[in-house]
Amino acid sequence: MRSSLHYKLIIGFISIAVPLVALLLYNNVYASNTVREQVTQSNKNAVMLYANQIQAALDRETNFLYNLTVDDPNITLLSRYLNDPTEYMLTKVRILNELSRYHRFDSSVDFQFIYSIENKDLFNTAFKTKDYNEVIAIKTMLTQLLDGLEPDSPFFWEWKSVQYGDDHALVRLVDTREGFYLGAFVRLSHMMIPPDLIQLGDKGFASFILEDGEIIAGEEIHVRYSELPLLDYNPDDTYQLLHFQDDRYVAVTSPIKGTDTMLSVFIPEREMLRKLPYFKWIISIIPVLAAIVLLFYIIYLRDIVLKPMNKLIRGMVRIKEGNLSIRLQPSKTKDFTLINETFNDMAEQIEELKISVYEERIEAHRAELKHLQLQMNPHFILNAINILYNLAQLKKYDIIQMMCLNMVNYFRFTTQTHRSVVRIAEELEHMESYINIQQHRFPGKITYRFEVEDGLEKMSIPPLLIQPFIENSMKYGFDFMEKPFHIDIRITSMPDSQLMQIVISDNGAGFSEPILAELQNGRYFGTQDGEHLGIWNVYHRLHFLFGQTSRIQFANGVDSGANVTIWMPVRTLEQFA
């Protein structure tokens, strides 16, 4: 049934109709978002304006407290009269009178207070309330807060929210450095945004929230909206959407600088999105358009597209099943004839490529096997242990420690067979461990130098790429020369290309003429009988990883020594993945 024309026509119709419906939905969402954006931007401006007003009022109060600390001599006298109850009380009255005088002209806060650290004495200006229990709750909260307050408390550099009972407030403290704290207290309900500033609707509301999204204050917020989830505020977003009691709310938030709270308004989304009638007309015309499209679709696709497409699909299924000998016949149309010819060429190339891939995998496994053989050199291990034994007889314990540390680093690196690439810095650190071991074996006979262009040390290469050439130099080029045997490694990037150059040179005996000739003409890498196994391994690994973009050049120095130059792409660790 799925191969029938009827089935394919239905699928085709759905493929045309679904985008039309998706376009309708997209237009609907786009229009809704546009209306939402415009309304929320207007409300955000109002919220930001009122938040700035709150910030300005709190800043004035903070400046007043600092000015009072500096300018009012009674603050200093208060600490001097701690042991004189009469003068202490008179000074308190003068300070409270000064605070009350300012409070009559600027009622941004509910009250100011002073706290004696030594006497644990809290006294404050009067504030309006009809509930005596609220007064007790506020004083109890302030006493617990101020008792044992640390000097680095955040209350000394910003307005912090506090809770007393079911209500919240902001508190700001100033340390007079005379053993007293000046402070101000303002209830969040006292700073709530006026209802006439923003049209919130019947279910909308305004509130204060903490930085973690918890709603802490609002008009009857703990009664009506106590089950609201946390608000995930993002300063880069104009608004956030909140689900509550089968309704979606658009939350517009503005931080209040200098405090740990934010001002938010929650507006029901249903009241924001109204009167979008033109979508009804679009929905009604879609069936007519779909019927017309279906008619032309059936006429056009019957013999020209569907039949050749079915043949092409069946051929692809055969290819997927592994039958690479499948070929398609020419079609009635020029376009599908070209497609069928391309398909036939592709099938033929895949068949040839599959054979090449199998051969390449076999060669890669052989190279990996040789790589694993290279990692453990029993002669090197025995020589290293023999060195440790001789050093132990001479009681050169400090040298033994360095020798052991280099051996640990060396074998840790060589046994990490799960790593297909390493950073250049790690490879050179491994080479340094290897050379240090050889230096302990031949004291004063070996020197080295590493030179890496800035930034390349973070690039990645296959592991053990450099070591085989150093081992080869040590084995064949170092023959107890009169001068120290020197190894030089330089890594630089190639100008105007994505390649880097690794040059490994020494001042030893160099390559023998027969070996150098085979290395240069490439015959050496065709077969391998065990000699120079590491160099053979490096050549085939580079060829397998990078193909023709990498190459190795072998030469002898003008006076003495061997020179090996490797060109390969510059890649990061992520580019190898």
Side-chain angles (χ1 to χ4, degrees), residues 82 88 94 116 156 182 192 202 224 226 339 350 386 388 414 461 531-532 535 538 551-553:
L82 287 174
Y88 180 75
R94 288 194 294 270
S116 171
F156 291 114
L182 283 179
M192 186 54 61
D202 297 335
R224 297 170 54 198
S226 58
I339 293 175
I350 291 176
N386 187 51
L388 290 176
T414 56
I461 60 175
E531 191 79 358
H532 302 290
I535 298 177
V538 170
R551 61 191 180 95
I552 306 178
Q553 177 179 294

Side-chain angles (χ1 to χ4, degrees), residues 52-64:
N52 291 336
Q53 293 177 0
I54 295 176
Q55 175 191 346
L58 295 178
D59 288 344
R60 286 197 305 270
E61 183 65 25
T62 302
N63 292 334
F64 169 73

Side-chain angles (χ1 to χ4, degrees), residues 270-513:
R270 188 178 304 172
E271 298 184 9
M272 297 175 60
L273 305 177
R274 295 177 179 176
K275 299 180 180 180
L276 300 175
Y278 65 92
F279 285 104
K280 295 181 180 179
W281 180 82
I282 296 177
I283 295 175
S284 63
I285 201 173
I286 283 181
V288 178
L289 295 176
I292 296 174
V293 171
L294 178 61
L295 177 62
F296 283 99
Y297 182 83
I298 294 174
I299 296 174
Y300 178 74
L301 295 182
R302 180 176 179 85
D303 292 325
I304 299 177
V305 177
L306 291 180
K307 289 183 178 179
M309 185 63 69
N310 287 335
K311 293 180 181 179
L312 179 62
I313 292 175
R314 285 196 295 269
M316 295 175 65
V317 171
R318 294 286 184 85
I319 292 290
K320 184 178 180 181
E321 292 174 350
N323 184 6
L324 299 178
S325 62
I326 186 69
R327 299 294 183 268
L328 299 180
Q329 300 299 321
S331 178
K332 296 180 180 180
T333 63
K334 182 178 180 180
D335 296 334
F336 271 101
T337 298
L338 178 61
I339 293 175
N340 291 346
E341 292 177 354
T342 305
F343 175 87
N344 294 337
D345 293 340
M346 180 187 67
E348 184 176 356
Q349 293 176 10
I350 291 176
E351 188 173 11
E352 295 175 356
L353 180 62
K354 189 174 183 180
I355 297 174
S356 299
V357 169
Y358 283 147
E359 294 175 352
E360 193 74 26
R361 286 181 178 176
I362 293 174
E363 191 65 28
H365 286 310
R366 290 177 179 174
E368 182 66 21
L369 177 60
K370 295 180 182 295
H371 172 58
L372 294 176
Q373 293 172 347
L374 175 67
Q375 290 181 338
M376 279 299 177
N377 189 332
H379 297 291
F380 176 78
I381 299 175
L382 293 176
N383 290 333
I385 295 175
N386 187 51
I387 294 172
L388 290 176
Y389 175 79
N390 293 332
L391 290 174
Q393 285 186 323
L394 298 175
K395 299 183 179 181
K396 301 289 185 178
Y397 301 121
D398 53 341
I399 301 178
I400 291 175
Q401 291 177 348
M402 294 299 299
M403 182 73 173
C404 290
L405 181 60
N406 285 311
M407 290 181 64
V408 168
N409 294 333
Y410 174 87
F411 290 115
R412 180 186 292 117
F413 187 92
T414 56
T415 54
Q416 291 178 349
T417 57
H418 64 283
R419 300 182 65 183
S420 59
V421 291
V422 295
R423 290 186 174 88
I424 291 178
E426 295 175 304
E427 178 78 5
L428 292 181
E429 183 180 359
H430 169 66
M431 288 313 310
E432 189 171 21
S433 298
Y434 174 79
I435 297 175
N436 287 338
I437 294 173
Q438 297 293 358
Q439 285 178 330
H440 289 301
R441 183 182 177 188
F442 305 105
K445 296 294 184 178
I446 300 175
T447 61
Y448 67 94
R449 185 185 67 167
F450 298 161
E451 183 179 344
V452 183
E453 182 178 322
D454 289 342
L456 289 182
E457 69 277 1
K458 298 179 182 179
M459 298 299 105
S460 296
I461 60 175
L464 299 178
L465 185 72
I466 301 175
Q467 180 181 335
F469 302 101
I470 302 300
E471 286 186 348
N472 185 75
S473 298
M474 295 290 300
K475 183 176 181 180
Y476 299 99
F478 172 45
D479 191 18
F480 297 96
M481 304 183 303
E482 295 180 358
K483 58 182 179 180
F485 180 74
H486 181 74
I487 299 171
D488 191 88
I489 300 175
R490 289 180 290 110
I491 303 177
T492 57
S493 60
M494 301 296 294
D496 301 327
S497 71
Q498 296 296 322
L499 299 177
M500 63 178 171
Q501 183 184 66
I502 303 175
V503 180
I504 307 164
S505 59
D506 61 66
N507 62 347
F511 296 105
S512 64
E513 290 299 327

